[in-house]
Amino acid sequence: MGHKLLFFLKALQMEDPIQLKEEGNKYFQANDYEKAVQSYTQAMKLNKDKALQAVLYRNRAACFLKKVRKASVLKQYSRRKEEGAIDINTSDIKALYRRSQALERLGKLDQAFKDAQKCATIEPHNKNFQETLRRLGANIQEKLRIQFSTDSRVQKMFEILLDENSEKEKREKAANNLIVLGREEAGAERIFQNNGVSLLLQLIETKNAELILAAVRTLSGMCTGHKARATAILHYLGIDNICMWMSVDNEEISLAVCNLLQTITDCLLGQGKEEHHGKEEAVVLDTKKDLRMITTCLLEMLVSKKVSGQGRDRALNLLNKNIPRKDLKDHDNSRTIFVIDNGLKKILKVVGQIPEMPDCLPLTENTQLTASVLLNKLYDDLRCDPERDNYRVICEDYIKSKIDPQNMDKTLHAIQIVSGVLQGPFDLGNKLLGMKGVMEMMVALCGSEREIDQLVAVEALIHASTKLSRATFIISNGVTLLKEIYKKTKNEKIKIRALVGLCKLGSAGGTDYGLRQFAEGSTEKLAKQCRKWLCNTSIDARTRKWAVEGLAYLTLDADVKDDFVEDEPALQAMFQLTSDKTILYSVASALVNCTNSYDTKELVPELVQLAKFSKQHVPEEHPKDKKDFVVKRVKRLLKAGVVSALACMVKADSAILTDQSKELIARVFLALCEDPKDRGTIVAQGGGKALIPLAVEGTEVGKIKASHALAKIAAISNPDMAFPGERVYEVVRPLVSLLNTERDGLQNYEALLGLTNFSGRSDKLRMKIVKERALPDIENYMFENHDQLRQAATECMCNLVVNKEVQERFVADGNDRLKLVVLLCGEDDEKVQVAAAGALAMLTAAQKKLCSKMTEVTTQWLEILQRLCLHDNMEVQHRGLVIAFNLISADKELAKKLVETELLEILTYLGKQEDHPKKQHVINIARDCLMRCIDYGLIKPLSQDGG
């Protein structure tokens, strides 16, 4: 009964607003603002006394201020519901002052000033109110000054830009200033608030290229990181207008508009840093509709004859970048499904274009391959078989609609589509080859008298002829078809394609079958013909690129690769063609073959003998594939400027630069970096910069190869020269990625050397290495049995211990880091001793706690220290004496312990030696140790007569 009464009384108390207010006060004093808010809020619901209600509002506001929750403070003082305290009593000075503080924090200076002014009117002698008024007044004046200054600058810029009579220099300066202002948040907001978007639209409508570029770049800056502003600009300009500007046949303008649309898309997708201002965070923007609208317009661009080739490329690149999922763990592939349902046929129409035909859409050399890459990315982004079946059915239906025996031109487009799909999702391409009538039509086209038919058919055969192909008919019959075409045709465009087809068919068969069946001559002769075509500038670039494709296969032959590298004009011609992004893979493949940077299986001697005994064929290494020949080829490639060509290839901002292409480029770079003497040349020609993105994005193998090449450069180069500015910090992560057991010893070793070099440059770099969690891996390598790995890891740690955070990890309880370093000082390996003693010297100098801790981690500490002080290597000896000096200086008791050992005799012996320039640093530190002991009164100085 008593318990029930107690519970009833407690419940009654909880319905008492005064009790709840007191409870809230207790929570407030205990800094538990969350519970205090709950108590005050509950009291406000139950209270009917206006005076108490004002106190409760005021107290709750104080909680919000303490929690520095700006959004809550805004609601507390901006909405009518939360103005209860002031509505109830307009002379409630505490509530007014707190609202003034909240408004000031929100940047609402004018409103804050009004509340502070009311407070000062009620209490004119209150110093706090007067000081607040002065501060707010000064801040308002400064804000107005900046605002009016910026507004007038913006207005002046637009006046100059829109005045046709303005001087050219003034216009250029105004345009550049406007771009810079648009990139700053305050400037972007002032432009936006002062009718800037409308004025920028006027600049675009002038049709002056420079003004259009300035306007578009300014708009890009204004959109960056601001979803609401980006959405407003998108709707004001109109997606149709943006796509129209991107369609123009002006590369700079098309690229700038593409960047603007990408910036807007990033904002809508929530990518990049989002900054909120004032009430913007309360605005909920539905971006899906806008994203779908952008996607629809991009798909329409693909099939419009009004769109330039460059504009079509931009649309394809934007779709490639933004439609497929970045992470397959994300289950939402709705953007991909939307594009397949509404735009797959449009993409197929692009890949099915034939440039030689009059009705062809405007294209660049990159357009169709970029479309094939998009087809592949969309196919890979599908999650299940029903989705893939739907994709296949759409393709099959579209191809069937094009096959017409009565209309050869229409059928030609069908074969070109199959050819385009084979360059994208190859599995799907294989299935399309099996469609009724496709194979027969390809054969018929090969035998056609029309050159355009032969051209399309041969290209389709080439793309169908790979090791993955299930088209056995092509593998078995393709050689005969292509050989006939090669012999009969007089058209160089067809001839060169037929040759590449023979090379590829031979590769698909796993041998040089296609080439051996080709009676015209040897592989070297065919390669010579390809080099001749490559150097013939009278042939169009689209045809010459097929010569590169042929060489990509022919350079598998050791004689061919050696001859090719000797032919500098052919190399230069190939490098010049790298501006055509469609041949990046072929160029990279040829260079991989020439540098022998492909994977090779090591032959186990025992298995070779066994194979010979059983009379099986054992492949032998070609003499020109031996190391000496490979080194010579690498030197020739470097002399021909291969690094600049590779750097140019990496810069390609296009979907055509696939992960597979990146891997091949990384392999070539690693081969080029083999000789330390060449690494300076590689850095000077932009190799260091080009390797960073290759180490971050691509296949796992490609990233490892690029990281290893970076490690080779970082190990011996001046980081400030090899990776200037902030770029050096981007190299740390690739190096750290090589520090694991899955990488080979050489990769571990060179990564450690690179990190050692970096950690010796600056504390900021040391901090970056620590943040990348490299310390545990470096410590593990300090335990390694391999001498060089242990040495490299210890040297790296020697540099890292300069950093305070690393020192604190040594000081922390419960770890054996210090013990490991002390024991390494006792190693027989002199280089390990030098590094470990250096690390210990710096640690004991920086952290006195480690001096006493050193004597506790192992019983061998004194013996190790004495050995260091007597070491034959003066560098080791000097570091040992520095450690002794640090221990003596740290603590008198520790110094006393050392004086009672043989260390005193060692110090005395060294200190009494005559001055000598070569070992003076050793003698001086020994004397410093003795002087410190004398200062402690532990030993007495020697008398004048030596007694």
Side-chain angles (χ1 to χ4, degrees):
M1 182 72 180
H3 287 297
K4 287 182 179 178
L5 181 61
L6 189 63
F7 179 80
F8 178 72
L9 290 171
K10 193 172 182 182
L12 281 175
Q13 280 183 340
M14 288 299 99
E15 290 185 4
D16 183 357
I18 295 174
Q19 289 289 338
L20 286 164
K21 187 197 83 161
E22 294 302 323
E23 184 185 73
N25 291 346
K26 287 177 184 177
Y27 285 132
F28 185 88
Q29 288 165 5
N31 298 327
D32 191 344
Y33 304 118
E34 196 68 50
K35 287 187 178 177
V37 166
Q38 291 173 10
S39 297
Y40 292 138
T41 303
Q42 183 64 19
M44 285 159 66
K45 289 177 182 177
L46 299 170
N47 177 55
K48 294 180 181 177
D49 182 350
K50 285 190 175 184
L52 178 59
Q53 195 79 342
V55 172
L56 291 169
Y57 272 111
R58 194 169 63 227
N59 288 359
R60 191 171 74 166
C63 294
F64 285 132
L65 281 170
K66 285 287 184 182
K67 288 168 69 179
V68 200
R69 283 177 50 184
K70 294 185 180 180
S72 298
V73 174
L74 176 62
K75 292 171 190 173
Q76 176 75 6
Y77 286 111
S78 297
R79 296 192 312 198
R80 184 171 181 81
K81 183 181 174 183
E82 294 296 332
E83 289 176 348
I86 299 166
D87 285 343
I88 292 160
N89 186 353
T90 53
S91 62
D92 190 332
I93 201 161
K94 284 188 179 179
L96 279 168
Y97 187 61
R98 282 176 182 162
R99 186 168 75 173
S100 174
Q101 289 176 299
L103 289 165
E104 184 181 359
R105 291 188 187 190
L106 287 168
K108 311 281 186 182
L109 299 183
D110 52 343
Q111 294 175 41
F113 186 84
K114 285 178 184 177
D115 281 348
Q117 206 169 33
K118 287 178 185 176
C119 293
T121 304
I122 297 167
E123 290 187 17
H125 300 297
N126 188 310
K127 290 183 179 179
N128 278 341
F129 297 160
Q130 295 298 332
E131 176 57 35
T132 301
L133 278 174
R134 277 194 295 274
R135 185 181 68 252
L136 285 170
N139 289 346
I140 288 168
Q141 289 298 318
E142 179 62 17
K143 186 177 179 181
L144 287 170
R145 185 188 68 76
I146 293 168
Q147 184 174 312
F148 287 130
S149 170
T150 306
D151 288 350
S152 61
R153 279 170 61 203
V154 170
Q155 191 177 355
K156 188 70 177 172
M157 286 176 207
F158 279 116
E159 284 175 6
I160 293 169
L161 291 168
L162 290 168
D163 182 1
E164 293 180 4
N165 299 318
S166 295
E167 294 175 18
K168 188 181 177 183
E169 282 186 21
K170 280 188 178 180
R171 266 192 164 189
E172 286 177 0
K173 188 177 179 182
N176 289 330
N177 288 342
L178 195 64
I179 293 166
V180 172
L181 200 62
R183 289 173 184 162
E184 299 168 2
E185 173 50 35
E189 189 61 24
R190 295 319 308 158
I191 295 170
F192 187 77
Q193 295 292 347
N194 284 277
N195 197 33
V197 180
S198 174
L199 294 169
L200 288 166
L201 186 55
Q202 286 183 45
L203 290 180
I204 293 170
E205 289 169 351
T206 62
K207 297 185 180 178
N208 179 311
E210 290 180 8
L211 296 183
I212 293 170
L213 279 171
V216 171
R217 286 167 181 167
T218 304
L219 287 164
S220 291
M222 291 170 66
C223 291
T224 303
H226 202 297
K227 186 185 289 185
R229 198 156 56 221
T231 305
I233 287 171
L234 171 66
H235 285 278
Y236 189 89
L237 298 176
I239 185 61
D240 291 331
N241 282 331
I242 294 172
C243 289
M244 180 181 70
W245 301 330
M246 194 164 68
S247 303
V248 299
D249 195 14
N250 180 307
E251 188 172 359
E252 271 195 296
I253 292 174
S254 180
L255 180 59
V257 178
C258 179
N259 290 336
L260 168 61
L261 196 50
Q262 182 61 57
T263 301
I264 292 171
T265 304
D266 286 343
C267 287
L268 297 179
L269 289 170
Q271 295 172 3
K273 188 178 179 182
E274 177 72 21
E275 294 183 16
H276 296 298
H277 304 276
K279 293 186 180 180
E280 188 197 337
E281 62 188 49
V283 180
V284 178
L285 298 167
D286 183 12
T287 60
K288 287 185 179 179
K289 189 176 178 183
D290 288 332
L291 285 167
R292 191 156 286 191
M293 177 178 68
I294 291 170
T295 304
T296 302
C297 284
L298 291 175
L299 290 171
E300 289 299 327
M301 283 181 69
L302 299 185
V303 292
S304 171
K305 285 198 171 185
K306 294 178 182 178
V307 175
S308 68
Q310 288 173 354
R312 212 174 312 280
D313 285 1
R314 307 291 181 214
L316 285 165
N317 281 328
L318 285 168
L319 291 167
N320 264 304
K321 190 170 183 179
N322 299 302
I323 298 304
R325 290 169 291 169
K326 300 286 188 295
D327 185 356
L328 293 179
K329 291 177 184 175
D330 176 11
H331 294 296
D332 182 14
N333 67 342
S334 57
R335 293 199 298 274
T336 292
I337 299 297
F338 177 80
V339 169
I340 290 169
D341 290 342
N342 297 277
L344 182 54
K345 290 181 180 179
K346 293 180 174 69
I347 303 166
L348 291 171
K349 182 173 180 178
V350 174
V351 298
Q353 294 298 297
I354 300 167
E356 290 78 8
M357 297 192 76
D359 63 341
C360 183
L361 294 168
L363 306 172
T364 71
E365 65 272 13
N366 301 326
T367 306
Q368 289 178 286
L369 186 55
T370 310
S372 293
V373 171
L374 177 57
L375 288 173
N376 190 53
K377 286 190 174 184
L378 293 172
Y379 192 75
D380 286 346
D381 200 42
L382 298 176
R383 296 186 303 160
C384 57
D385 287 342
E387 290 180 354
R388 282 183 278 273
D389 288 341
N390 176 54
Y391 190 111
R392 175 182 53 77
V393 168
I394 293 171
C395 291
E396 287 177 348
D397 289 346
Y398 189 73
I399 291 167
K400 284 175 187 174
S401 71
K402 296 292 178 184
I403 296 177
D404 183 355
Q406 305 302 318
N407 188 337
M408 192 57 76
D409 285 354
K410 197 174 177 184
T411 303
L412 211 54
H413 285 293
I415 300 303
Q416 185 80 330
I417 291 165
V418 174
S419 185
V421 175
L422 284 163
Q423 293 175 77
F426 190 82
D427 287 343
L428 176 62
N430 260 328
K431 290 175 184 175
L432 298 180
L433 281 172
M435 286 174 62
K436 186 179 178 181
V438 171
M439 290 285 198
E440 293 84 351
M441 197 55 65
M442 285 171 66
V443 174
L445 289 170
C446 283
S448 171
E449 292 183 2
R450 285 203 317 172
E451 290 183 341
I452 186 65
D453 296 345
Q454 291 183 13
L455 201 67
V456 171
V458 170
E459 285 194 18
L461 278 172
I462 291 169
H463 297 309
S465 308
T466 76
K467 291 178 183 177
L468 299 173
S469 180
R470 294 198 294 271
T472 52
F473 174 86
I474 290 176
I475 298 295
S476 57
N477 297 281
V479 173
T480 307
L481 287 168
L482 291 170
K483 187 166 65 172
E484 285 298 311
I485 291 171
Y486 184 87
K487 286 181 177 180
K488 289 179 179 178
T489 186
K490 293 180 181 179
N491 187 320
E492 294 283 284
K493 293 181 180 182
I494 298 172
K495 205 175 189 72
I496 193 169
R497 285 165 172 78
L499 175 58
V500 173
L502 287 163
C503 297
K504 206 165 183 182
L505 280 168
S507 172
T511 66
D512 63 344
Y513 172 76
L515 301 176
R516 285 189 289 105
Q517 291 290 308
F518 195 39
E520 288 295 314
S522 65
T523 311
E524 293 97 309
K525 186 176 179 181
L526 297 173
K528 188 176 180 181
Q529 181 60 55
C530 279
R531 297 203 307 273
K532 185 179 175 183
W533 278 323
L534 181 59
C535 295
N536 188 351
T537 53
S538 64
I539 300 174
D540 65 282
R542 188 162 176 259
T543 301
R544 288 166 66 207
K545 78 174 186 181
W546 286 100
V548 179
E549 182 117 0
L551 287 165
Y553 289 96
L554 292 166
T555 48
L556 288 165
D557 182 282
D559 290 313
V560 169
K561 67 179 83 170
D562 220 51
D563 292 341
F564 180 39
V565 172
E566 288 281 3
D567 189 346
E568 189 164 335
L571 282 177
Q572 294 296 339
M574 183 175 76
F575 295 159
Q576 286 167 11
L577 283 173
T578 53
S579 59
D580 178 351
K581 307 300 182 293
T582 60
I583 64 164
L584 294 182
Y585 188 85
S586 300
V587 173
S589 298
L591 291 172
V592 164
N593 293 338
C594 292
T595 55
N596 284 37
S597 48
Y598 42 72
D599 290 328
T600 53
K601 290 182 180 179
E602 289 189 22
L603 296 175
V604 180
E606 291 81 3
L607 292 178
V608 172
Q609 292 301 320
L610 186 62
K612 286 180 178 178
F613 179 75
S614 59
K615 296 183 180 180
Q616 291 183 17
H617 173 69
V618 179
E620 293 184 7
E621 186 179 36
H622 193 286
K624 289 186 178 179
D625 276 331
K626 292 185 187 269
K627 188 176 180 181
D628 289 348
F629 280 91
V630 175
V631 169
K632 285 178 184 177
R633 287 199 292 272
V634 166
K635 299 289 183 186
R636 288 188 201 121
L637 286 169
L638 284 166
K639 188 178 177 183
V642 67
V643 176
S644 298
L646 290 171
C648 180
M649 290 163 71
V650 173
K651 284 179 188 173
D653 183 21
S654 169
I656 295 173
L657 184 62
T658 60
D659 289 348
Q660 289 71 28
S661 298
K662 290 176 185 175
E663 180 186 320
L664 295 177
I665 295 169
R667 286 176 179 274
V668 177
F669 265 125
L670 183 57
L672 298 175
C673 289
E674 190 61 36
D675 187 344
K677 293 176 185 176
D678 296 327
R679 293 173 198 171
T681 303
I682 292 165
V683 168
Q685 294 179 6
K689 180 181 177 181
L691 277 164
I692 296 171
L694 296 176
V696 176
E697 295 178 353
T699 65
E700 196 60 32
V701 172
K703 289 190 286 187
I704 293 166
K705 300 284 183 188
S707 297
H708 193 187
L710 281 172
K712 285 179 179 292
I713 292 170
I716 64 165
S717 305
N718 179 340
D720 300 330
M721 299 291 288
F723 312 105
E726 296 295 306
R727 199 173 295 145
V728 67
Y729 302 103
E730 297 175 46
V731 182
V732 173
R733 183 172 295 176
L735 298 190
V736 173
S737 73
L738 296 176
L739 300 182
N740 70 60
T741 51
E742 291 179 7
R743 307 288 168 258
D744 63 44
L746 183 60
Q747 291 169 342
N748 299 154
Y749 177 67
E750 292 186 316
L752 286 167
L753 290 183
L755 291 169
T756 302
N757 194 7
F758 280 16
S759 58
R761 302 302 296 182
S762 70
D763 201 56
K764 193 175 175 183
L765 265 172
R766 287 188 282 273
M767 201 66 236
K768 176 66 176 172
I769 294 169
V770 173
K771 282 182 179 176
E772 292 295 338
R773 301 177 184 177
L775 275 183
D777 293 318
I778 295 168
E779 287 166 0
N780 288 339
Y781 287 110
M782 290 168 74
F783 284 103
E784 266 286 341
N785 290 326
H786 193 287
D787 290 343
Q788 285 181 301
L789 280 175
R790 191 167 68 254
Q791 173 200 324
T794 309
E795 287 174 350
C796 189
M797 186 60 75
C798 180
N799 286 346
L800 286 171
V801 295
V802 179
N803 179 265
K804 284 188 178 180
E805 189 171 324
V806 177
Q807 293 168 11
E808 286 166 5
R809 296 192 185 196
F810 275 85
V811 172
D813 294 330
N815 72 79
D816 291 328
R817 291 187 177 94
L818 187 64
K819 180 179 179 180
L820 172 61
V821 174
V822 173
L823 293 174
L824 287 172
C825 288
E827 285 277 316
D828 294 331
D829 187 319
E830 203 168 277
K831 288 182 178 178
V832 172
Q833 274 189 309
V834 170
L840 193 56
M842 282 187 278
L843 285 167
T844 50
Q847 300 285 341
K848 286 188 177 182
K849 289 180 183 177
L850 293 178
C851 294
S852 55
K853 190 176 180 179
M854 175 182 160
T855 64
E856 300 164 2
V857 293
T858 173
T859 54
Q860 301 171 48
W861 71 272
L862 184 59
E863 180 190 342
I864 290 169
L865 181 59
Q866 288 172 349
R867 281 178 60 194
L868 291 176
C869 294
L870 289 170
H871 206 283
D872 295 335
N873 183 324
M874 274 195 289
E875 190 176 3
V876 177
Q877 186 182 29
H878 178 260
R879 294 181 180 200
L881 289 166
V882 169
I883 297 165
F885 176 77
N886 294 338
L887 297 181
I888 292 167
S889 301
D891 182 66
K892 184 177 179 180
E893 289 302 313
L894 188 52
K896 186 178 179 183
K897 188 189 289 187
L898 289 170
V899 166
E900 291 170 354
T901 68
E902 293 177 1
L903 187 65
L904 179 61
E905 292 179 37
I906 296 168
L907 294 172
T908 305
Y909 166 74
L910 293 171
K912 286 173 69 177
Q913 289 185 7
E914 292 183 6
D915 290 353
H916 191 286
K918 286 188 178 179
K919 54 182 179 179
Q920 194 61 45
H921 60 301
V922 172
I923 297 167
N924 287 345
I925 192 68
R927 289 173 182 172
D928 289 342
C929 291
L930 293 169
M931 285 303 298
R932 189 55 57 93
C933 291
I934 291 169
D935 293 342
Y936 283 143
L938 298 175
I939 61 172
K940 294 180 180 179
L942 295 172
S943 60
Q944 291 289 334
D945 59 0

